[in-house]
Amino acid sequence: MILTITLNPAVDVTYEVDELVPHATHRVRAVREQAGGKGVNVSRVLHQVGHPTMATGLLGGPTGDLVRGRLAAAGIETAFTPITATTRRTVVVTDTEDATVFNEPGPAVTDAEWSAFTGSLNALSTGATCVVMSGSLPAGVDPAAYAELCALLPVPAVVDTSGPALLAAAEAGANLLKPNAAELSEATGIQDTYAAAQHLRDRGATTVVVTRGADGMLAVTPDGTWSARLGERIAGNPTGAGDAATAALAAGHATGADWPERLREAVAWSAAAVPVPHAGEVDLPTLDRLRPLVTVTKENP
Amino acid sequence: MILTITLNPAVDVTYEVDELVPHATHRVRAVREQAGGKGVNVSRVLHQVGHPTMATGLLGGPTGDLVRGRLAAAGIETAFTPITATTRRTVVVTDTEDATVFNEPGPAVTDAEWSAFTGSLNALSTGATCVVMSGSLPAGVDPAAYAELCALLPVPAVVDTSGPALLAAAEAGANLLKPNAAELSEATGIQDTYAAAQHLRDRGATTVVVTRGADGMLAVTPDGTWSARLGERIAGNPTGAGDAATAALAAGHATGADWPERLREAVAWSAAAVPVPHAGEVDLPTLDRLRPLVTVTKENP
């Protein structure tokens, strides 16, 4: 079982409009509501591809009930700690051209709620092959929260975060970090992707997998360095592609696949998320079609 | 007591952003959620100014619970008929320049739900001096619904609607219609405001009050015709000014004030809604200040 932690989950609301015009009134043609937040998306993808998963984190208010209800309805096991404040929404307005995003601020989390959550984790992680920590932190939660959780948990941690939290997670000995190239160079101040990834390993991370959009991925691991890329461009919406990559890397850890195989899966899952217009889902026929099209190369940097 | 009917209420969500840029990601600085829909706004203004009111209509889902809860928390009596589908939201994104509005489609209402609602009205309107019907109709409700309710109810009806529903309400003998000038000419096909108002009276409406934005109002009544306007321009957001005018006209009916007095109040309440950035509320000190500044003129058209 792969446990995902989402400290700042969301109800993702999608509005379809004909054309977004600032300062006009829009008739919304279609409304879609789904459970969101990066860790929740990882659980949704894992569940869809057939890997046992459980989602935990912090949920509050009617939006929190909606996230819990949607995951339960999808058959995904949940064990969120309740909080008094209300889980945020994101509103994504899509028109024929692109998406316009409005991110509500997250709820404030009290010290008592944080203690209740961390106190629940040991029991929850029993039987977990790894724990995925992903996404932003709500107000009231220390920026070093992921590092605290890495140190606390008895199982390997896969962490998808950015900024100082990325450095802190490395220092706390995260098993796998999955920044994108921009997040990696921003956090480390190092432009070269390999050197920056190696810097995080020097700080304490076991493996660093860097996602590079359509240019594929670079994995710097204790067993060597590999790059992987797809032989074609996929049209669609890249939102959620990173979460699908994280899901694949956690699944690869769980099954003990070798690095070339993990990277092949991560590139294929990530690309198979692109044709789906919302996060937390891959197109399964596309996934099957793309696996053989991924090229994995051993690097000698 | 003034009974308000809102067939398609809403949760009005307001997002404050720095600047709305199409196809960009926005951090929402502040979120506001309130009970909305035109009839609900009329009840909120009546309650604020001190007139007894009860709100009814159709509510469903978690958003419906939120509307009911907010009205109850404000001390406003409610008696909504529950529906299975979910009450809509409106999202208003405000930046330093103006508001951008996204209106979700309303819920679908079943025949059984509509029957339950109409069946409840006789008891609810006992003790009501008048009934206000205001706003759009949800899917599954006949466009002639307001006319049906006018014919059904034993008390005078104040109706704020547009299009064919406006003509139907006139024919059903509504006591007072409150279109704005654009709605009036669009529904009747008559450009001249007085002639168009008289046309609705010829069809069966007792009184027609036309709101003309900053140009004030025109009332064509069985006792004569009056115009009213304010001697100054009020800066702010005109959203909700029409609902405040409807509230004042219903309150005037309830107290039996004469037409010049009703119009003075309607213009003052309407203008006092403009400094408040959201609908369903007036600025009370502004209301007191503006009352003496309204000029009412007997017209001899």
Side-chain angles (χ1 to χ4, degrees):
Chain A
M1 182 269 286
I2 295 166
L3 182 69
T4 65
I5 294 177
T6 315
L7 297 178
N8 202 9
V11 172
D12 286 340
V13 181
T14 308
Y15 284 168
E16 260 179 48
V17 302
D18 290 330
E19 186 195 356
L20 192 151
V21 180
H23 312 132
T25 294
H26 303 77
R27 181 184 298 267
V28 176
R29 280 194 282 110
V31 181
R32 186 191 158 87
E33 272 188 335
Q34 66 173 46
K38 290 172 77 68
V40 163
N41 292 340
V42 170
S43 270
R44 291 176 60 221
V45 172
L46 284 168
H47 181 75
Q48 190 196 4
V49 182
H51 288 264
T53 183
M54 180 194 282
T56 184
L58 305 157
L59 283 178
T63 40
D65 293 342
L66 194 145
V67 170
R68 202 182 281 103
R70 289 297 174 91
L71 291 174
I76 297 171
E77 213 178 335
T78 63
F80 285 87
T81 296
I83 59 172
T84 302
T86 298
T87 292
R88 72 200 168 104
R89 279 174 301 214
T90 65
V91 174
V92 177
V93 179
T94 60
D95 59 17
T96 50
E97 200 180 323
D98 206 344
T100 306
V101 180
F102 301 96
N103 288 320
E104 292 187 4
V109 175
T110 66
D111 290 349
E113 288 163 349
W114 180 252
S115 297
F117 170 68
T118 55
S120 74
L121 281 179
N122 253 309
L124 292 179
S125 59
T126 305
T129 47
C130 64
V131 175
V132 175
M133 305 173 197
S134 194
S136 63
L137 301 175
V141 171
D142 193 288
Y146 285 142
E148 179 188 343
L149 297 179
C150 285
L152 186 79
L153 284 163
V155 285
V158 174
V159 184
D160 181 2
T161 187
S162 58
L166 180 61
L167 301 179
E171 272 158 21
N175 182 268
L176 190 150
L177 298 176
K178 192 219 69 62
N180 64 39
E183 288 164 347
L184 178 64
S185 62
E186 191 267 330
T188 59
I190 301 169
Q191 286 310 306
D192 179 73
T193 299
Y194 174 78
Q198 193 57 56
H199 176 79
L200 291 184
R201 296 189 67 236
D202 292 344
R203 285 205 169 204
T206 310
T207 293
V208 177
V209 178
V210 189
T211 55
R212 304 188 282 194
D215 293 329
M217 299 181 192
L218 180 77
V220 185
T221 87
D223 305 325
T225 299
W226 284 269
S227 66
R229 63 184 302 160
L230 186 65
E232 70 176 72
R233 298 250 163 185
I234 306 292
N237 177 354
T239 307
D243 298 335
T246 303
L249 292 167
H253 182 94
T255 59
D258 62 20
W259 279 108
E261 183 55 23
R262 290 190 203 185
L263 280 181
R264 175 183 307 281
E265 291 294 304
V267 169
W269 292 32
S270 177
V274 174
V276 184
H278 39 265
E281 199 177 327
V282 294
D283 186 69
L284 290 175
T286 301
L287 175 54
D288 286 338
R289 185 176 70 77
L290 294 182
R291 277 192 181 101
L293 304 182
V294 179
T295 313
V296 182
T297 311
K298 183 89 163 81
E299 302 283 333
N300 295 297
Chain B
M1 180 271 282
I2 296 165
L3 182 68
T4 65
I5 295 177
T6 314
L7 297 178
N8 202 10
V11 172
D12 287 340
V13 181
T14 308
Y15 284 167
E16 261 179 49
V17 302
D18 289 330
E19 186 195 358
L20 192 152
V21 180
H23 312 132
T25 294
H26 303 77
R27 182 184 297 266
V28 176
R29 278 194 282 110
V31 181
R32 185 191 160 87
E33 272 189 335
Q34 65 173 47
K38 291 173 75 67
V40 163
N41 292 340
V42 170
S43 271
R44 291 176 61 221
V45 171
L46 284 168
H47 181 75
Q48 189 195 4
V49 182
H51 289 263
T53 183
M54 181 194 281
T56 183
L58 305 157
L59 282 179
T63 40
D65 293 341
L66 193 144
V67 169
R68 202 182 282 102
R70 289 297 174 92
L71 290 174
I76 297 172
E77 214 178 334
T78 63
F80 284 86
T81 295
I83 59 173
T84 302
T86 297
T87 292
R88 72 199 167 104
R89 278 174 300 212
T90 66
V91 175
V92 177
V93 180
T94 61
D95 59 16
T96 50
E97 199 180 323
D98 206 344
T100 306
V101 180
F102 301 96
N103 288 320
E104 292 187 4
V109 176
T110 66
D111 289 349
E113 289 163 348
W114 179 251
S115 297
F117 170 67
T118 56
S120 75
L121 281 180
N122 253 308
L124 292 180
S125 59
T126 305
T129 48
C130 64
V131 175
V132 174
M133 304 173 198
S134 196
S136 63
L137 302 175
V141 171
D142 193 288
Y146 285 143
E148 180 189 343
L149 297 179
C150 285
L152 186 79
L153 284 163
V155 284
V158 174
V159 183
D160 181 2
T161 186
S162 58
L166 180 61
L167 301 177
E171 272 158 21
N175 182 268
L176 190 149
L177 299 176
K178 193 220 68 62
N180 65 39
E183 289 164 346
L184 177 64
S185 63
E186 191 266 331
T188 59
I190 302 169
Q191 286 310 306
D192 178 73
T193 299
Y194 173 78
Q198 194 57 56
H199 176 79
L200 291 183
R201 296 190 67 237
D202 293 343
R203 286 205 169 203
T206 309
T207 293
V208 178
V209 178
V210 189
T211 54
R212 303 189 283 193
D215 293 329
M217 298 180 192
L218 180 78
V220 185
T221 87
D223 305 326
T225 299
W226 283 269
S227 67
R229 63 185 302 159
L230 186 65
E232 70 176 72
R233 298 251 162 183
I234 306 291
N237 177 354
T239 307
D243 298 336
T246 303
L249 292 166
H253 182 94
T255 59
D258 62 19
W259 278 108
E261 182 56 23
R262 289 191 204 183
L263 281 181
R264 175 183 307 282
E265 290 294 305
V267 170
W269 292 31
S270 177
V274 174
V276 183
H278 40 266
E281 198 176 329
V282 294
D283 186 68
L284 291 174
T286 300
L287 176 54
D288 286 338
R289 185 175 71 75
L290 294 183
R291 278 193 180 100
L293 304 182
V294 180
T295 311
V296 183
T297 310
K298 183 89 162 81
E299 301 284 333
N300 294 298

